[in-house]
Amino acid sequence: MKFALALGAHEVGVSSRPEEMAAKANSLDVILDTVSATHDVNAYLGLLRRDGHLVLVGFPAKPLEVAPVALLSRRASFSGSGTGGLPETQAMLDFRGEHGIVSDIELIPIHAINEAFTRLEKGDVKYRFVLDLQSLK
């Protein structure tokens, strides 16, 4: 929670705390779901206002179960988005450069790639792995 506030969040709700989820019910317009593990997406759909949108950009290994009532009762939409191509990636990098937006990363040497995948599967990553290509030398 401290991390999100330090990164500029105005408000934080922790999904593993039922009282915080209940307090956010029917209150959000958009949810950007970055979870790449199997999870209860219906809990997030319950946070949406009428005509709200949940966009999945994570990549869970197993299919997610969606209860139709979670969508129909609030006219919600559930969609996904891939990473985009080169033009989208360049536009994002340009935007970040223009606005001074940076990422918190964990720089790892190339020989640690298998450990990185293991950590990803365990959910043991705080931000983003970046491979140090200098370690190829």
Side-chain angles (χ1 to χ4, degrees):
M1 206 149 96
K2 290 185 267 184
F3 294 117
L5 295 170
L7 291 171
H10 299 283
E11 197 173 326
V12 177
V14 179
S15 61
S16 61
R17 297 180 182 161
E19 68 281 0
E20 291 184 27
M21 292 291 279
K24 297 287 181 204
N26 302 306
S27 69
L28 303 177
D29 294 312
V30 177
I31 297 173
L32 184 64
D33 183 348
T34 63
V35 179
S36 287
T38 303
H39 61 289
D40 181 11
V41 73
N42 297 296
Y44 296 123
L45 290 169
L47 303 177
L48 293 173
R49 288 185 177 154
R50 184 180 178 117
D51 296 322
H53 305 276
L54 188 146
V55 182
L56 179 68
V57 296
F59 208 102
K62 296 179 183 173
L64 300 175
E65 288 190 31
V66 178
V69 70
L71 294 169
L72 300 172
S73 63
R74 59 186 37 85
R75 293 189 339 201
S77 66
F78 180 31
S79 61
S81 178
T83 57
L86 289 176
E88 293 88 354
T89 301
Q90 188 61 57
M92 179 270 306
L93 291 171
D94 292 344
F95 180 86
R96 289 177 50 153
E98 291 167 14
H99 298 281
I101 300 170
V102 298
S103 298
D104 288 322
I105 64 157
E106 182 176 341
L107 190 65
I108 61 170
I110 194 73
H111 69 270
I113 190 72
N114 289 335
E115 179 187 343
F117 277 113
T118 300
R119 287 182 54 202
L120 280 169
E121 289 173 348
K122 291 180 181 178
D124 180 28
V125 183
K126 273 192 182 169
Y127 303 110
R128 165 180 304 266
F129 284 136
V130 173
L131 290 174
D132 182 1
L133 296 181
Q134 293 296 321
S135 65
L136 286 172
K137 296 179 180 178

